[in-house]
Each structure stands twice: as C-alpha cells, then as structure tokens.
Amino acid sequence: MRSEPLLSVNNLTVDLLTAKSALRPVDGVSYSVRQGECLAIVGESGSGKTVMNFAPLGLMPTGVATALSGSVKFDGRELVGLSEPELRKFRGKSIGFIFQDPMSALNPVRRIGRQIAEMAELHLNMTHAAAEARALDLVKLVGISDPAARLRQYPHELSGGLRQRIVIAIALAGEPKLLIADEPTTALDVTVQAQILRLLKDLQQRLNMAMVLITHDMGVVAGAADNIVVMYAARAAELGPVDRVLVNPRHPYTKGLINAIPRREDPIGSEFRGLPGVPPTLGAPIKGCAFAPRCDLAVAACSANRPPLVPALDGRVLVACPVVNQGKAAA
Ligand SMILES: Nc1ncnc2c1ncn2[C@@H]1O[C@H](COP(=O)(O)OP(=O)(O)OP(=O)(O)O)[C@@H](O)[C@H]1O
Ligand SMILES: [Mg+2]
C-alpha cells in the first residue's frame, strides 16, 4: 500500500491585500507530495508558485495581509489557521526552504560556519560544539571540498555555486522532512545550474526527503521530479507524473512550455520559441479559462466557465481544458 502524502494541499486559495490592491494569486489549487518524492511546480512569472508555497507557512513579506482558504496538511497537521508561533515550529525544522532571492539567503557579515551552526542550535537544540560539528558534516554533505577552511569564510569569498551549496546546507540543518526549493538554480551559470540540480536530487534521494522544486523552466523538470503541477494564472492547468506530462502533454499551455525548451539541434542564434502573449493580471476574477486569449485551440466555451480538472490517460493526469476534455467528466 502507498503511504499517506507528507504534504497534502487541497483547494488552496490565497488572497493578498496590500495598501494598493487586492489579488488572488492562488485560486483553488490541489496537489500532494509523498516522502521521498519530488514535485515540480512550473509556470511563468507571476503564476503564483512562490505565494502558493510560502503563504501557508506565514512567509509573506510584512505589509501584505494574507487570507487563506482550503487545506494544507503537513505530516498529519493542518497548517491553515495556525498562529504565527505555531507555524514557526515547522519553518526551517521539519520544512526546510531555499528562497528565490539568493541575496537574502546569507548574512554577508557572518562566517559561513556560524550561519549553519546557528540553524542546528536553533532547530535541533544542539550545544555550540555539537552544532559546529554538524556544520562541518553539512558542508561535506553538500559536496564542498576543504570544508573546514570554507566554514571560516564569508559569503562574498565564495563563487555563486558554492554559495548555493551553503544555502542548501542551511536548509538541511534542521533535518527537514520536506524541502521547498524556489528557483534554486535560476541565479547561477548554466553549467553550475546542472551541478546544483544534481546535488539537490541526490540529497533528496539519500535523505529520503520530500521536495517541492519551483521553477519556470520545463528543462529542469525531466530528470529531477516525479510529479508536476503546471500553474497558469493562479490555477493548475495540468498535473500528473512527469513522465506522462512531458511525453504526452494535454493542456495547450503545457505544450507551449515544452515547446519553449531550447533543443540541442537548434541552430546557434535561432529565435527563442517563447509563448506569444502575456499572462493576465490577477486583480479581477477570470470567468473562463485564463489561457484562452493566448490559446490556438480556444472556442467560445473556453471563456464561459472555469474549466474543471478532468482525468486523462489512465486517470493519473488531470487537465483543465474544455477543448481537450470535451465530453469527459470532472475529477
Ligand atoms: N508581496 C507581494 N505584494 C503584492 N503582490 C504580490 C506579492 N507577492 C506576490 N504578489 C503577486 O502575486 C502574484 C503571484 O506571485 P508569485 O511570486 O507567487 O509568482 P511566481 O509564480 O513565483 O513568479 P516568479 O516566477 O516571477 O517567481 C503576482 O501577480 C505577484 O505580483
Ligand atoms: Mg516565484
């Protein structure tokens, strides 16, 4: 029998209220991740990937009022409705994270070793000496050579790739069951991107963690993730096992994203095959399919009602497209 999911998100909606505007960047999204599994969340900029993962953990910037509905169950506990002190017990401990903004991740004026050890002291109640030893182990774990010397250095003394390895070590310091990695390779050189992605995948498997890998790049998904959620304008357009979705994408948006992956055989200097058009703004409610204005297949029905997710193939893939799903029942 398959185990219960470690993280189970059900019909999650997030409203953001700022001084200037009200937005719904996450609108009724459901997915789950089991221990030892990697889920990729993919979509263009602004589709809600970061908010969907971090708002339920109370990790929105100050000055933004957040209202959640639906359910986010982690390791048997409901996170929606928990107070800030209760959420804090999960953050950095049973749920580790790597933030999208690489500049915010490390303190520029503190030595690397102290920054890692502090996390072990905080989350695992370790003594100073035990935490220092753990910092050394973690730096070795993330594949850094000459670890003892590195621990004495400051962030600016390290290359981008080494800095990201340190960020990963800090994320692992509390021995998380779930690691949320938000665009962990975007800020890096292409060759380093592949190394960091391989490291994350390797650690996820060795430590038997669940991992949520957020990316706007379909290209990183193939070797790394078991399942995928394709987000478009605050909603899931398609979700299912990566091998099915990448090989046989159903939703026109998923097809467009896959088509935009640069190919080896593309001639140098060939035009980037991006998706034409831009995603909608999220200020006003969208009645039908949010992708319809950019979709070659769109028919009148697409703009009428919100398309439900409908099972495709053997039922393990869900697709929200009225054209693809014609005549099929919703999930
Ligand atoms: N702090 C904030 N204040 C106001 N609006 C916000 C805030 N954070 C996110 N949003 C809005 O919520 C929507 C979703 O943002 P989110 O950061 O989750 O997108 P994303 O998919 O992670 O994009 P990217 O790929 O650029 O990181 C966007 O329209 C964004 O402008
Ligand atoms: Mg983001």
Side-chain angles (χ1 to χ4, degrees):
M1 210 180 86
R2 298 186 81 199
S3 59
E4 282 293 299
L6 179 68
L7 176 72
S8 210
V9 175
N10 260 301
N11 205 15
L12 176 67
T13 292
V14 182
D15 287 307
L16 296 182
L17 294 168
T18 66
K20 291 197 199 114
S21 62
L23 298 177
R24 178 164 288 182
V26 182
D27 189 2
V29 180
S30 304
Y31 57 88
S32 61
V33 195
R34 289 168 204 280
Q35 186 185 355
E37 263 183 12
C38 175
L39 173 79
I41 297 180
V42 184
E44 280 166 296
S45 189
S47 56
K49 306 181 297 293
T50 297
V51 171
M52 183 162 87
N53 281 277
F54 290 126
L57 295 171
L59 285 171
M60 291 303 290
T62 43
V64 185
T66 309
L68 302 175
S69 70
S71 160
V72 177
K73 268 203 174 138
F74 171 73
D75 209 8
R77 289 281 308 274
E78 177 60 57
L79 301 187
V80 172
L82 286 189
S83 66
E84 171 56 28
E86 285 170 318
L87 283 175
R88 208 177 299 143
K89 292 181 196 153
F90 292 90
R91 294 198 301 249
K93 181 164 169 45
S94 46
I95 305 178
F97 31 79
I98 297 170
F99 288 119
Q100 185 165 7
D101 173 11
M103 299 310 285
S104 69
L106 295 171
N107 185 334
V109 296
R110 310 207 59 201
R111 290 182 203 274
I112 300 293
R114 210 51 314 269
Q115 297 193 46
I116 305 175
E118 244 165 33
M119 289 295 138
E121 284 164 22
L122 179 69
H123 296 301
L124 303 177
N125 284 326
M126 283 184 159
T127 62
H128 185 87
E132 298 278 319
R134 172 130 178 93
L136 188 64
D137 286 344
L138 282 164
V139 171
K140 288 181 192 159
L141 183 70
V142 296
I144 292 183
S145 56
D146 203 0
R150 295 297 184 193
L151 290 179
R152 291 191 294 273
Q153 290 186 304
Y154 291 91
H156 73 266
E157 297 178 84
L158 306 181
S159 67
L162 280 177
R163 266 205 297 269
Q164 194 62 342
R165 284 175 195 262
I166 299 295
V167 168
I168 294 169
I170 290 174
L172 297 178
E175 298 180 344
K177 291 183 175 178
L178 169 69
L179 179 65
I180 301 175
D182 193 355
E183 306 272 5
T185 61
T186 305
L188 303 169
D189 292 345
V190 177
T191 47
V192 182
Q193 281 184 358
Q195 290 167 14
I196 295 293
L197 199 63
R198 257 199 310 278
L199 170 70
L200 276 172
K201 183 68 198 158
D202 176 54
L203 289 168
Q204 181 243 318
Q205 287 175 327
R206 273 162 62 194
L207 305 175
N208 200 23
M209 286 183 300
M211 180 157 80
V212 173
L213 179 65
I214 304 171
T215 176
H216 62 267
D217 179 358
M218 269 287 186
V220 312
V221 172
D226 303 291
N227 295 303
I228 181 171
V229 180
V230 180
M231 291 289 294
Y232 188 77
R235 297 174 184 175
E238 179 161 6
L239 57 129
V242 163
D243 49 5
R244 319 253 164 145
V245 173
L246 289 193
V247 172
N248 195 356
R250 295 294 169 120
H251 198 287
Y253 179 60
T254 316
K255 287 185 183 167
L257 283 183
I258 292 174
N259 197 35
I261 303 173
R263 298 190 192 113
R264 209 183 285 260
E265 62 271 20
D266 288 345
I268 292 171
S270 59
E271 213 174 299
F272 172 64
R273 286 184 301 265
L275 284 168
V278 287
T281 54
L282 303 172
I286 298 164
K287 201 159 162 249
C289 170
F291 188 60
R294 296 170 79 183
C295 182
D296 293 340
L297 301 182
V299 295
C302 299
S303 312
N305 295 305
R306 174 178 180 165
L309 281 162
V310 173
L313 297 170
D314 55 5
R316 293 174 64 204
V317 177
L318 297 175
V319 188
C321 171
V323 176
V324 170
N325 291 333
Q326 252 166 11
K328 295 184 201 151

